[in-house]
Amino acid sequence: MKILSAAQMREVDRLTSKLHGVPSLQLMENAATRTVEAIEKKFGDVSGKRVLAVCGRGNNGGDGAAIARLLHEKGASVDVCLLGGINETQGDARTNFESAKAIADAAGSTLRFAEIETASALRETATRSKYDLIIDAIFGTGLTRAAAGLFEEATALINELGDKSRVVSVDVPSGLASDSGELIGPTVRADLTVTFTAPKVAAVLPPACEQCGELIVGQIGSPDELINSSGSQLNLIEASDVRTWLESSRRSSHANKGDVGKVLVVGGSRGKTGAACLVGEAALRAGCGLVTIATPESVQPIVASSAIPECMTEPLAETASGSFSLEAAEDVARLGAERDVVAIGPGLGSEDASTREFVRAVVGKRERPTVADADALNALAPWEEAVGAQPGVPLILTPHPGEMSRLVGKPIDVVLRDRIEIAREFSTSHGVILVLKGSRTLIAAPDGQVYVNPTGNAGMATGGSGDVLTGIIAGLLAQKMDDALGATIAAVYLHGLAGDIAASKLGTRAMIASDITANLGAALIEVGGDAERLVR
């Protein structure tokens, strides 16, 4: 699903009216209808409920007035507070404000309309009743600076009332800058945000997205071709995307273990054998047929006894410190040629110069799709162009922000401040698929598209979680080698979903990495449905 900027959204709305004959007033009415539908789906029948709609003077406020009218028609008692006067509004918004006021002026109406000029007047009006729902329609996608004055007071009051009422934000919670994941000032905390046509940047990137509560995207009449041709290079991953990928990679009823992919894991070293074992198990749980863990000779017996029995092992040449030596590169090339995908890095160690040379040799001369993580990334930093120069052989890098900082030679705060552009620039410049891990993990593709993953939780901030992700990527890619990007997107989404399922059972505090793997099957079934089961 495309994520649109404020400018892209305005253009989509304009072209919807110009090219497809949908009046802008009808778009506003559709937005109000979708919002009321979402409210009823989440909170139930609105008849008899008390509702406060706090509206700004622009189109977002006009949406709020239309929502108030529709809620009133469904039997709710609604108070509309316009922050300013109707004479300060214009266009479609004014039409809806005047309509709401006309209803309020009718004898016996349960809709009340107030034009608010001061914070004290707002507080007096908004606190004379106890509300079930608060509609936040102060600012839409056009805000670029912190709310101040009456608008700041209104934001604070909504949050205060929200301690006892449900808050529904229209398009984006007021106070957010639509095109940024950063908080620019006081912001409404919503229980539900109903956005229109497509998600906005603020609704999908932290910390701004944390203000949204549940996010619902309401379609208001803009054709898909306008959205897809908007110029946006930012996308939100949906379960339907992953379901489609799973369908395309499903094993036949006559498959054998060689048909569903073979993975070579290159990892582990003295004191770090667990990482390689986590990768191996996750790759098998993701559905590949065979996994071999290649590890330094002295620790091979430990890996063989620690990994699940289904993983095979291979001992390789090592340094005095028990990590891989450069001499092992030829053996990895030989072993890799007999497999479909190579995953390298977890538990590898990168202190020895020989180990770093080993990693560069393996990655630089790869003949199979390769996933590089952890110590492999440290060995590849700072990035040299020749490392990725294997046309037609996908390379997937999975750094956390610290590893990304070392790859690009920039401070970590710069990486964190501009994650999307840092990831996109690296991916397009070097022709790699880049998974920048973190809260809302990003996947950047060589064509400039960036995908935002909505699954995952704070419980996954635990040692080994990244190793599990590496295994899932490798395991899925081995099953469908002609779609490295699709496999990566599916793996990141399922990894986060498995973590969410684990957290629902254990809580975020008690989770460990192997809990993610343990719940991967449940995640696959949740997305893929009965096709992922043996249904008799």
Side-chain angles (χ1 to χ4, degrees):
M1 178 187 295
K2 286 294 181 186
I3 300 167
L4 299 185
S5 68
Q8 288 164 344
M9 188 68 251
R10 287 192 295 271
E11 183 66 2
V12 168
D13 283 345
R14 185 186 72 81
L15 292 175
T16 299
S17 296
K18 179 181 178 180
L19 302 180
H20 297 273
V22 184
S24 57
L25 186 61
Q26 184 61 53
L27 292 176
M28 189 173 284
E29 187 71 11
N30 293 347
T33 301
R34 297 292 88 76
T35 302
V36 172
E37 290 171 351
I39 288 171
E40 291 192 309
K41 183 175 181 180
K42 185 170 180 65
F43 303 120
D45 186 7
V46 298
S47 178
K49 290 186 176 179
R50 295 285 304 166
V51 180
L52 172 67
V54 184
C55 302
R57 298 189 293 267
N59 283 341
N60 192 251
D63 292 336
I67 292 164
R69 170 172 47 78
L70 294 179
L71 290 172
H72 170 261
E73 291 174 0
K74 286 179 171 288
S77 297
V78 186
D79 292 348
V80 178
C81 290
L82 169 60
L83 304 181
I86 287 182
N87 63 348
E88 299 175 82
T89 67
Q90 57 186 350
D92 297 334
R94 183 162 187 159
T95 299
N96 273 311
F97 287 128
E98 289 176 342
S99 176
K101 189 174 187 307
I103 295 171
D105 290 343
S109 175
T110 58
L111 188 150
R112 296 187 291 186
F113 191 98
E115 298 172 78
I116 302 294
E117 300 292 345
T118 65
S120 58
L122 174 63
R123 178 168 289 276
E124 179 182 353
T125 302
T127 56
R128 61 190 178 193
S129 298
K130 292 184 178 180
Y131 296 103
D132 302 296
L133 289 172
I134 312 292
I135 307 299
D136 158 37
I138 304 173
F139 295 119
T141 59
L143 189 67
T144 58
R145 63 179 184 272
L150 176 59
F151 304 106
E152 181 178 5
E153 295 286 345
T155 299
L157 180 59
I158 289 174
N159 286 337
E160 179 183 322
L161 296 174
D163 290 338
K164 296 182 180 180
S165 307
R166 298 293 191 176
V167 176
V168 179
S169 287
V170 180
D171 215 1
V172 294
S174 293
L176 293 182
S178 175
D179 294 349
S180 172
E182 298 303 316
L183 298 176
I184 61 171
T187 305
V188 168
R189 296 188 301 272
D191 298 293
L192 172 68
T193 297
V194 184
T195 196
F196 310 122
T197 304
K200 314 308 183 294
V201 175
V204 298
L205 292 183
C209 67
E210 296 164 4
Q211 303 295 113
C212 294
E214 182 182 353
L215 178 68
I216 298 294
V217 180
Q219 297 305 321
I220 62 174
S222 296
D224 288 344
E225 59 263 28
L226 287 182
I227 302 169
N228 293 331
S229 63
S230 63
S232 171
Q233 290 188 303
L234 196 58
N235 310 270
L236 181 64
I237 304 170
E238 299 180 274
S240 58
D241 301 323
V242 181
R243 185 178 305 114
T244 298
W245 191 90
L246 291 175
E247 290 170 353
S248 72
S249 64
R250 195 153 288 135
R251 63 181 64 186
S252 77
S253 58
H254 305 293
N256 63 58
K257 61 188 177 184
D259 295 333
V260 293
K262 294 172 281 188
V263 171
L264 176 66
V265 177
V266 183
S269 60
R270 199 170 298 161
K272 299 179 180 180
T273 54
C277 297
L278 286 169
V279 177
E281 181 175 2
L284 283 171
R285 291 291 183 189
C288 73
L290 291 166
V291 170
T292 302
I293 302 175
T295 198
E297 184 176 9
S298 65
V299 300
Q300 185 265 344
I302 300 173
V303 171
S305 61
S306 301
I308 61 173
E310 294 85 351
C311 287
M312 299 174 285
T313 61
E314 285 279 350
L316 296 183
E318 63 183 356
T319 64
S321 63
S323 185
F324 291 88
S325 70
L326 178 58
E327 288 73 22
E330 289 187 9
D331 285 331
V332 169
R334 172 181 55 81
L335 292 169
E338 299 169 357
R339 273 79 180 175
D340 299 306
V341 174
V342 175
I344 183 171
L348 193 76
S350 59
E351 293 80 11
D352 288 337
S354 182
T355 302
R356 292 193 294 273
E357 291 176 21
F358 161 79
V359 172
R360 288 177 175 266
V362 170
V363 175
K365 297 178 181 179
R366 68 189 183 279
E367 296 181 355
R368 291 288 185 268
T370 298
V371 186
D373 184 30
D375 286 333
L377 298 175
N378 293 327
L380 295 170
W383 187 265
E384 294 178 4
E385 194 64 44
V387 172
Q390 291 293 335
V393 185
L395 177 59
I396 302 162
L397 309 181
T398 63
H400 58 55
E403 292 160 344
M404 192 75 228
S405 170
R406 291 187 283 275
L407 283 171
V408 298
K410 295 181 179 180
I412 192 170
D413 62 316
V414 173
V415 172
L416 291 171
R417 189 167 57 244
D418 201 10
R419 295 170 70 233
I420 291 173
E421 290 310 315
I422 290 283
R424 176 184 285 125
E425 181 181 352
F426 192 92
S427 179
T428 55
S429 297
H430 305 301
V432 301
I433 296 170
L434 188 123
V435 178
L436 183 50
K437 295 182 289 195
S439 178
R440 295 293 168 102
T441 290
L442 305 176
I443 301 106
D447 65 357
Q449 296 291 325
V450 177
Y451 302 82
V452 182
N453 181 55
T455 61
N457 60 82
M460 299 172 73
T462 185
S465 178
D467 303 327
V468 171
L469 175 59
T470 296
I472 299 173
I473 295 173
L476 292 184
L477 179 53
Q479 297 168 68
K480 195 171 190 298
M481 295 172 60
D482 61 350
D483 187 11
L485 179 61
T488 303
I489 290 171
V492 171
Y493 185 95
L494 290 165
H495 176 256
L497 180 58
D500 290 341
I501 295 170
S504 71
K505 298 175 180 178
L506 302 170
T508 56
R509 192 183 302 270
M511 278 179 60
I512 58 176
S514 56
D515 295 322
I516 302 170
T517 306
N519 286 281
L520 181 58
L524 285 160
I525 291 170
E526 181 172 321
V527 175
D530 283 344
E532 291 294 324
R533 303 177 185 266
L534 176 59
V535 181
R536 299 187 184 276

